[in-house]
């Protein structure tokens, strides 16, 4: 537009909106919806943007029907349609969850094999964690309550992506109906960093009671911020190696006298009528507590019948090196009449083998007339059903049986 020297140049509204005449730093480009008035929470429009208003008399007569230019605070950065007090989606706070991303996975509880199958499928829109605006995500699983190291499962790491696809199947063994009613599966997404500590992105927790036996359940859940865990309580020599515990578990131990879980063991019991004795099978262990600094243990299993004054009933398996999920498949035989066996108690203990020093106690379980829960049921079924092999999973606890204290080697 050209004019004579001394004349005042006029700018119409179209040119004013297209040209940023204000000095200063470059600002984000606003969307067209930000230039129209919107009703605030109190029913009134927000104030006019001084940058978007015309000087008095500058083209106002040419376009009298145009509305006053308005801009809600922060709308240019958040974008159109981002209501300051919008409704929550699926009862999630968008600031705390959707910004972290979503996770898609399947869960299946196989009651027959006592296994929990966790299929980690994919994640979308994860929070950027690296300088390149991407992340190196992987997924960790923990069963709570329980020792973190003892039952941690982990997927592979997907590099430089905010939308990783894993399609990995992770499995927990020794999951019973009791676990389904009281345990929670914690699924956390983390960013792997080779130069420093891995960073937490988000997590979700699924109560296992939401699952039905032998029915796969699909989940697509927004990630949440991390729920802090309790610090480890004071540990004795027999408890060293466990890194973290839940606050819920510590309260349960204090209030209800529950014992800390140290893993699972699969036992088979058969009373042989012809041989007149008890056949004990040590099949395998799962998710044992880590006793060594490398995050593993060197476990072996010992069994004995109590009372045993002469201490001749002890049997011991071989040692499995550097594992928390050992498979033994070993059997021991106790020659004894059925009436006498009914008054006995089978003590099963798991130990971590150490060279040059005392072995560490991992956990134990007692099966006998004074037992409770699944241990009592397994023992009773064995006595009532001779010549039938009964295989059951049992929870190992931190209680050291009195008779086992003298058998620590």
């Amino acid at each position: 537009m050209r004019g004579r020297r001394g004349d005042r140049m006029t700018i119409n509204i179209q040119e004013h909106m297209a040209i940023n005449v204000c000095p200063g730093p470059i600002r984000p480009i606003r969307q067209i919806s930000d230039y129209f008035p919107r009703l605030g929470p109190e029913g009134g429009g927000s104030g006019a943007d001084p940058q978007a208003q015309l000087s008095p008399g500058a083209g106002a007569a040419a376009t009298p029907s145009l509305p006053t230019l308005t801009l809600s605070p922060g709308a240019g950065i958040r974008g159109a349609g981002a209501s300051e007090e919008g409704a929550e989606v699926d009862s999630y706070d968008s600031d705390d969850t959707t910004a972290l991303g979503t996770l898609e996975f399947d869960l299946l509880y196989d009651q027959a094999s006592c296994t929990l199958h966790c299929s980690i499928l994919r994640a979308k829109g994860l929070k950027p964690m690296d300088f390149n605006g991407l992340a190196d995500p992987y997924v960790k699983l923990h069963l709570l309550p329980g020792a973190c190291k003892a039952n941690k499962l982990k997927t592979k790491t997907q590099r430089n992506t905010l939308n990783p696809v894993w399609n990995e199947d992770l499995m927990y063994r020794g999951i019973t109906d009791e676990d389904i009613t009281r345990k929670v599966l914690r699924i956390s997404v983390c960013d792997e960093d080779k130069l420093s500590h891995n960073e937490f992105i988000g997590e979700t927790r699924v109560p296992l009671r939401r699952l039905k036996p032998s029915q796969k359940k699909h989940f697509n859940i927004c990630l949440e911020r991390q729920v802090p865990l309790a610090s480890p309580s004071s540990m004795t020599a027999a408890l060293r190696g466990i890194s973290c515990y839940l606050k819920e578990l510590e309260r349960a131990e204090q209030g209800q006298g529950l014992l800390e879980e140290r893993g699972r063991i699969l036992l088979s019991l058969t009373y042989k009528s012809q041989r007149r004795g008890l056949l004990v099978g040590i099949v395998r262990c799962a998710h044992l507590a880590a006793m060594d600094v490398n995050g593993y243990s060197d476990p072996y299993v010992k069994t004995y019948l109590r009372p045993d004054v002469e201490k001749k009933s002890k049997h011991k398996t071989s040692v499995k090196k550097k594992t928390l999920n050992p498979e033994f498949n070993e059997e021991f035989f106790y020659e004894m009449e059925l009436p006498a066996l009914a008054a006995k108690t089978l003590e099963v203990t798991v130990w971590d083998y150490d060279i040059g020093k005392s072995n560490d106690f991992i956990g134990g379980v007692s099966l006998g007339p004074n037992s409770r829960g699944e241990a009592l049921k397994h023992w009773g079924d064995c006595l009532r059903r001779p010549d039938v092999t009964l295989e059951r999973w049992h929870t190992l606890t931190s209680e050291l049986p009195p008779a086992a204290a003298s058998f620590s080697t």
Side-chain angles (χ1 to χ4, degrees), residues 269-277 381-390:
L269 299 180
T270 311
Y271 184 79
K272 298 291 186 179
S273 299
Q274 294 183 352
R275 299 177 59 184
R276 295 184 179 181
D381 291 344
C382 173
L383 299 179
R384 288 189 296 267
R385 301 168 62 186
D387 301 315
V388 177
T389 301
L390 302 173

Side-chain angles (χ1 to χ4, degrees), residues 329-357:
N329 291 320
E330 299 185 30
E331 294 181 337
F332 307 124
F333 184 76
Y334 292 98
E335 185 175 354
M336 187 171 296
E337 296 291 341
L338 187 59
L341 182 63
K344 295 283 188 177
T345 297
L346 178 67
E347 298 282 5
V348 181
T349 54
V350 184
W351 300 79
D352 170 55
Y353 177 75
D354 286 324
I355 301 177
K357 57 182 178 179

Side-chain angles (χ1 to χ4, degrees), residues 381-401:
D381 291 344
C382 173
L383 299 179
R384 288 189 296 267
R385 301 168 62 186
D387 301 315
V388 177
T389 301
L390 302 173
E391 197 173 85
R392 307 276 175 83
W393 283 94
H394 296 279
T395 300
L396 299 171
T397 66
S398 57
E399 182 181 26
L400 182 65

Side-chain angles (χ1 to χ4, degrees), residues 69-102:
L69 303 179
T70 60
L71 182 64
S72 61
I77 299 177
R78 289 207 310 261
S83 176
E84 294 182 19
E85 297 185 6
E88 294 180 349
V89 179
D90 295 333
S91 300
Y92 287 109
D93 189 330
S94 60
D95 290 338
D96 289 340
T97 58
T98 55
L100 303 177
T102 61

Side-chain angles (χ1 to χ4, degrees), residues 9-127:
M9 298 181 61
T10 60
I11 303 176
N12 58 30
I13 186 64
Q14 289 81 3
E15 291 175 326
H16 185 84
M17 294 180 66
I19 302 174
N20 185 5
V21 296
C22 297
I26 299 176
R27 301 188 178 187
I29 300 176
R30 300 185 177 97
Q31 302 192 28
I32 189 64
S33 60
D34 296 332
Y35 289 100
F36 291 89
R38 62 181 69 179
L39 296 179
E42 300 179 357
S46 55
D49 188 347
Q51 297 179 18
Q53 292 184 359
L54 295 175
S55 300
T63 56
S65 60
L66 285 177
T68 304
L69 303 179
T70 60
L71 182 64
S72 61
I77 299 177
R78 289 207 310 261
S83 176
E84 294 182 19
E85 297 185 6
E88 294 180 349
V89 179
D90 295 333
S91 300
Y92 287 109
D93 189 330
S94 60
D95 290 338
D96 289 340
T97 58
T98 55
L100 303 177
T102 61
L103 181 65
E104 193 172 350
F105 57 94
D106 293 331
L107 297 179
L108 172 64
Y109 170 52
D110 190 340
Q111 192 176 31
S113 61
C114 296
T115 55
L116 176 64
H117 298 269
C118 310
S119 300
I120 308 301
L121 304 178
R122 61 186 64 85
K124 293 183 180 179
L126 295 180
K127 178 182 177 181

Side-chain angles (χ1 to χ4, degrees), residues 177-244:
D177 292 340
E178 182 183 359
D179 295 325
I180 295 298
T181 59
R182 69 184 185 90
K183 283 189 176 290
V184 174
L185 180 65
R186 179 193 182 197
I187 307 177
S188 54
V189 182
C190 301
D191 171 63
E192 183 179 289
D193 196 333
K194 295 182 178 180
L195 301 180
S196 62
H197 295 292
N198 296 339
E199 296 181 287
F200 176 85
I201 297 179
E203 73 170 27
T204 184
R205 301 192 179 192
V206 180
L208 296 186
R209 62 178 177 270
R210 297 177 58 183
L211 305 180
K212 296 181 179 179
S214 303
Q215 292 186 15
K216 180 183 293 187
K217 188 173 180 63
H218 183 75
F219 295 86
N220 191 0
I221 300 180
C222 291
L223 296 175
E224 302 176 11
R225 298 191 184 278
Q226 188 174 23
V227 178
L229 296 175
S231 300
S233 57
S234 58
M235 302 180 186
T236 62
L239 299 182
R240 62 183 175 86
I242 306 301
S243 60
C244 57

Side-chain angles (χ1 to χ4, degrees), residues 235-253:
M235 302 180 186
T236 62
L239 299 182
R240 62 183 175 86
I242 306 301
S243 60
C244 57
Y245 304 93
L246 290 180
K247 291 180 179 178
E248 299 95 318
L249 181 59
E250 292 183 345
R251 287 197 295 265
E253 291 176 350

